Coordinates of all heavy atoms in Angstrom, one line a residue:
A15 N 12.9 8.0 11.7 CA 13.4 8.0 13.0 C 12.8 7.0 13.9 O 13.4 6.4 14.7 CB 13.3 9.4 13.6
A16 N 11.5 6.9 13.8 CA 10.7 6.0 14.7 C 10.8 4.5 14.3 O 10.8 3.7 15.2 CB 9.3 6.4 14.7
V17 N 10.9 4.2 13.1 CA 10.8 2.8 12.6 C 12.1 2.3 12.1 O 12.4 1.1 12.4 CB 9.7 2.7 11.5 CG1 9.7 1.3 11.0 CG2 8.4 3.2 12.0
L18 N 12.9 3.1 11.5 CA 14.1 2.5 10.8 C 15.4 2.5 11.6 O 16.4 2.0 11.1 CB 14.3 3.3 9.5 CG 13.1 3.4 8.6 CD1 13.4 4.2 7.3 CD2 12.6 2.0 8.2
A19 N 15.4 3.2 12.7 CA 16.7 3.2 13.5 C 17.0 1.8 13.9 O 16.2 1.1 14.5 CB 16.5 4.1 14.7
P20 N 18.2 1.3 13.7 CA 18.6 -0.1 14.0 C 18.7 -0.2 15.5 O 19.3 0.5 16.3 CB 20.0 -0.2 13.4 CG 20.5 1.2 13.3 CD 19.3 2.0 13.0
A21 N 18.0 -1.3 16.0 CA 17.9 -1.5 17.4 C 19.3 -2.0 18.0 O 19.5 -1.9 19.2 CB 16.9 -2.6 17.7
S22 N 20.2 -2.4 17.1 CA 21.5 -2.9 17.6 C 22.4 -1.8 18.0 O 23.5 -2.1 18.6 CB 22.1 -3.7 16.5 OG 22.3 -3.0 15.3
V23 N 22.1 -0.5 17.7 CA 23.0 0.6 18.0 C 22.6 1.2 19.3 O 21.6 1.8 19.4 CB 23.0 1.6 16.9 CG1 23.9 2.8 17.3 CG2 23.4 1.0 15.6
A24 N 23.5 1.0 20.3 CA 23.2 1.7 21.6 C 23.6 3.1 21.4 O 24.7 3.5 21.1 CB 24.1 1.0 22.7
S25 N 22.6 4.0 21.7 CA 22.8 5.4 21.4 C 22.1 6.3 22.4 O 21.0 6.0 22.9 CB 22.4 5.8 20.0 OG 21.0 5.4 19.8
A26 N 22.8 7.4 22.7 CA 22.2 8.4 23.6 C 22.6 9.8 23.3 O 22.3 10.8 24.0 CB 22.5 8.1 25.1
A27 N 23.5 10.0 22.3 CA 24.0 11.3 21.9 C 23.0 12.2 21.3 O 22.1 11.7 20.6 CB 25.3 11.1 21.1
V28 N 23.2 13.5 21.4 CA 22.3 14.5 20.8 C 23.1 15.4 20.0 O 24.2 15.9 20.3 CB 21.5 15.3 21.9 CG1 20.7 16.4 21.3 CG2 20.7 14.3 22.7
L29 N 22.6 15.7 18.8 CA 23.2 16.7 17.9 C 22.2 17.8 17.6 O 21.0 17.5 17.2 CB 23.6 16.0 16.6 CG 24.1 17.0 15.4 CD1 25.3 17.7 15.9 CD2 24.3 16.2 14.2
S30 N 22.5 19.0 18.0 CA 21.6 20.1 17.8 C 22.3 21.4 17.3 O 23.6 21.5 17.4 CB 20.9 20.5 19.1 OG 21.9 20.9 20.1
G31 N 21.6 22.3 16.7 CA 22.2 23.5 16.1 C 21.2 24.3 15.4 O 20.0 24.1 15.4
Q32 N 21.8 25.2 14.6 CA 20.9 26.1 13.8 C 21.5 26.3 12.4 O 22.8 26.5 12.3 CB 20.8 27.5 14.5 CG 19.9 28.5 13.7 CD 19.7 29.8 14.4 OE1 20.6 30.2 15.1 NE2 18.6 30.5 14.2
V33 N 20.7 26.3 11.4 CA 21.1 26.5 10.0 C 20.6 27.9 9.7 O 19.5 28.3 9.9 CB 20.5 25.5 9.1 CG1 21.0 25.8 7.6 CG2 20.9 24.1 9.5
Q34 N 21.5 28.8 9.2 CA 21.2 30.2 8.9 C 21.4 30.4 7.4 O 22.5 30.2 6.8 CB 22.1 31.1 9.7 CG 21.7 32.5 9.6 CD 22.6 33.4 10.5 OE1 23.8 33.6 10.2 NE2 22.0 33.9 11.6
L35 N 20.3 30.7 6.7 CA 20.3 31.1 5.3 C 20.7 32.5 5.1 O 20.1 33.4 5.8 CB 19.0 30.8 4.7 CG 18.9 30.4 3.2 CD1 19.7 29.2 2.9 CD2 17.5 30.3 2.7
V36 N 21.7 32.8 4.3 CA 22.1 34.2 4.1 C 22.2 34.5 2.7 O 22.3 33.7 1.8 CB 23.5 34.5 4.8 CG1 23.4 34.2 6.3 CG2 24.6 33.6 4.2
T37 N 22.2 35.9 2.4 CA 22.4 36.3 1.0 C 23.8 36.3 0.6 O 24.7 36.0 1.4 CB 21.8 37.8 0.8 OG1 22.6 38.6 1.7 CG2 20.4 37.8 1.3
R38 N 24.2 36.7 -0.6 CA 25.6 36.7 -1.0 C 26.4 37.6 -0.2 O 27.6 37.4 0.1 CB 25.6 37.2 -2.5 CG 25.1 36.1 -3.5 CD 25.3 36.7 -4.9 NE 24.8 35.7 -5.9 CZ 25.6 34.8 -6.5 NH1 26.8 34.7 -6.2 NH2 25.1 34.0 -7.4
S39 N 25.7 38.7 0.3 CA 26.5 39.7 1.1 C 26.5 39.3 2.6 O 27.1 40.0 3.4 CB 25.8 41.1 1.0 OG 24.4 41.0 1.5
G40 N 25.9 38.2 3.0 CA 25.9 37.7 4.3 C 24.7 38.1 5.2 O 24.7 37.8 6.4
R41 N 23.7 38.7 4.6 CA 22.5 39.2 5.3 C 21.6 38.0 5.6 O 21.2 37.3 4.6 CB 21.8 40.2 4.6 CG 20.5 40.8 5.3 CD 19.9 41.9 4.5 NE 19.6 41.6 3.1 CZ 18.5 41.0 2.8 NH1 17.5 40.6 3.7 NH2 18.2 40.7 1.5
P42 N 21.2 37.7 6.8 CA 20.3 36.6 7.1 C 19.0 36.8 6.5 O 18.4 37.9 6.4 CB 20.2 36.6 8.6 CG 21.4 37.3 9.1 CD 21.7 38.4 8.1
I43 N 18.4 35.7 6.0 CA 17.1 35.7 5.4 C 16.3 34.5 5.9 O 16.9 33.6 6.5 CB 17.1 35.6 3.8 CG1 17.8 34.4 3.4 CG2 17.7 36.9 3.3 CD1 17.9 34.3 1.9
T44 N 15.0 34.5 5.8 CA 14.2 33.4 6.3 C 14.5 32.2 5.5 O 14.7 32.2 4.3 CB 12.7 33.7 6.3 OG1 12.3 34.1 4.9 CG2 12.4 34.9 7.2
T45 N 14.4 31.0 6.1 CA 14.7 29.7 5.4 C 13.6 29.3 4.5 O 13.8 28.6 3.5 CB 15.0 28.6 6.4 OG1 13.8 28.4 7.1 CG2 16.1 29.0 7.4
S46 N 12.4 29.8 4.7 CA 11.2 29.3 4.0 C 11.0 27.8 4.1 O 10.4 27.2 3.3 CB 11.2 29.7 2.5 OG 12.2 29.0 1.8
G47 N 11.6 27.2 5.2 CA 11.4 25.8 5.4 C 12.3 24.9 4.5 O 13.0 25.4 3.7
D48 N 12.1 23.6 4.7 CA 12.8 22.6 3.9 C 14.3 22.7 3.9 O 15.0 22.4 2.9 CB 12.3 22.8 2.4 CG 10.8 22.3 2.2 OD1 10.3 21.6 3.1 OD2 10.2 22.7 1.2
V49 N 14.8 23.0 5.1 CA 16.3 22.8 5.3 C 16.5 21.4 5.8 O 16.1 21.0 6.8 CB 16.8 23.8 6.3 CG1 18.3 23.5 6.6 CG2 16.7 25.3 5.8
V50 N 17.1 20.6 4.9 CA 17.3 19.2 5.2 C 18.6 19.0 6.1 O 19.7 19.6 5.7 CB 17.4 18.4 3.9 CG1 17.8 16.9 4.2 CG2 16.1 18.5 3.2
V51 N 18.5 18.2 7.1 CA 19.7 17.9 8.0 C 19.8 16.4 8.1 O 18.9 15.7 8.4 CB 19.4 18.5 9.4 CG1 20.6 18.2 10.3 CG2 19.2 20.0 9.4
I52 N 21.0 16.0 7.7 CA 21.3 14.5 7.7 C 22.6 14.2 8.5 O 23.6 14.9 8.3 CB 21.5 14.0 6.2 CG1 20.3 14.4 5.4 CG2 21.8 12.6 6.2 CD1 20.5 14.2 3.9
Y53 N 22.5 13.3 9.4 CA 23.7 12.9 10.1 C 24.0 11.4 9.8 O 23.2 10.5 10.0 CB 23.5 13.1 11.6 CG 24.8 12.7 12.4 CD1 25.9 13.5 12.3 CD2 24.8 11.5 13.2 CE1 27.1 13.2 13.0 CE2 26.0 11.2 13.9 CZ 27.1 12.0 13.8 OH 28.3 11.7 14.5
Q54 N 25.2 11.2 9.3 CA 25.7 9.8 9.0 C 26.8 9.4 9.9 O 27.9 9.9 9.7 CB 26.1 9.8 7.5 CG 26.7 8.4 7.1 CD 25.7 7.4 6.9 OE1 24.8 7.5 6.1 NE2 25.8 6.3 7.7
P55 N 26.6 8.5 10.9 CA 27.7 8.0 11.7 C 28.7 7.3 10.9 O 28.3 6.6 9.9 CB 27.0 7.1 12.7 CG 25.5 7.5 12.7 CD 25.3 7.9 11.3
D56 N 30.0 7.3 11.3 CA 31.0 6.6 10.6 C 30.8 5.1 10.7 O 31.1 4.3 9.8 CB 32.4 7.0 11.1 CG 32.8 8.3 10.6 OD1 32.1 8.9 9.8 OD2 33.9 8.8 11.0
Q57 N 30.2 4.6 11.8 CA 30.0 3.2 12.0 C 28.8 2.8 11.2 O 27.9 3.6 10.9 CB 29.8 2.9 13.5 CG 28.5 3.5 14.1 CD 28.4 3.2 15.5 OE1 29.1 3.8 16.4 NE2 27.5 2.3 15.9
G58 N 28.7 1.6 10.7 CA 27.7 1.1 9.8 C 26.3 1.1 10.4 O 26.2 1.0 11.6
L59 N 25.3 1.2 9.6 CA 23.9 1.1 10.0 C 23.3 0.0 9.2 O 23.6 -0.3 8.1 CB 23.2 2.4 9.7 CG 23.6 3.6 10.6 CD1 23.0 4.9 10.0 CD2 23.2 3.5 12.0
E60 N 22.3 -0.6 9.9 CA 21.6 -1.7 9.3 C 20.1 -1.6 9.4 O 19.6 -0.7 10.0 CB 22.0 -3.0 10.0 CG 23.5 -3.3 9.9 CD 23.8 -4.6 10.7 OE1 22.9 -5.2 11.3 OE2 25.0 -5.0 10.6
N61 N 19.4 -2.4 8.6 CA 17.9 -2.5 8.7 C 17.2 -1.3 8.3 O 16.1 -1.0 8.8 CB 17.5 -2.9 10.2 CG 18.1 -4.2 10.7 OD1 18.3 -5.1 9.9 ND2 18.5 -4.3 11.9
L62 N 17.7 -0.6 7.3 CA 16.9 0.5 6.7 C 16.0 -0.1 5.7 O 16.4 -0.6 4.7 CB 17.9 1.5 6.0 CG 18.6 2.5 6.9 CD1 19.6 3.3 6.1 CD2 17.6 3.5 7.6
Q63 N 14.7 0.0 6.0 CA 13.7 -0.5 5.2 C 13.2 0.5 4.2 O 12.9 1.6 4.5 CB 12.5 -1.0 6.0 CG 12.9 -2.1 7.0 CD 13.4 -3.4 6.3 OE1 12.9 -3.8 5.3 NE2 14.4 -4.0 6.8
P64 N 13.1 0.1 2.9 CA 12.6 1.0 1.9 C 11.1 1.4 2.2 O 10.4 0.7 2.8 CB 12.7 0.2 0.6 CG 13.7 -0.9 0.9 CD 13.5 -1.2 2.3
L65 N 10.7 2.6 1.7 CA 9.4 3.1 1.8 C 8.7 3.2 0.5 O 9.4 3.2 -0.6 CB 9.4 4.5 2.5 CG 10.0 4.6 3.9 CD1 9.9 6.0 4.4 CD2 9.2 3.7 4.9
E66 N 7.4 3.3 0.5 CA 6.6 3.6 -0.7 C 5.9 4.9 -0.5 O 5.0 5.0 0.4 CB 5.6 2.5 -1.0 CG 6.3 1.1 -1.4 CD 5.2 0.1 -1.7 OE1 4.0 0.3 -1.4 OE2 5.6 -1.0 -2.2

Side-chain angles (χ1 to χ4, degrees):
V17 178
L18 305 182
S22 60
V23 177
S25 54
V28 174
L29 173 60
S30 62
Q32 182 180 27
V33 181
Q34 191 176 72
L35 206 63
V36 300
T37 63
R38 289 180 181 271
S39 62
R41 179 175 58 85
I43 58 178
T44 58
T45 63
S46 71
D48 291 340
V49 174
V50 175
V51 180
I52 303 167
Y53 182 70
Q54 176 72 62
D56 285 356
Q57 66 185 74
L59 292 169
E60 301 177 356
N61 301 325
L62 279 174
Q63 298 298 319
L65 300 176
E66 294 181 347

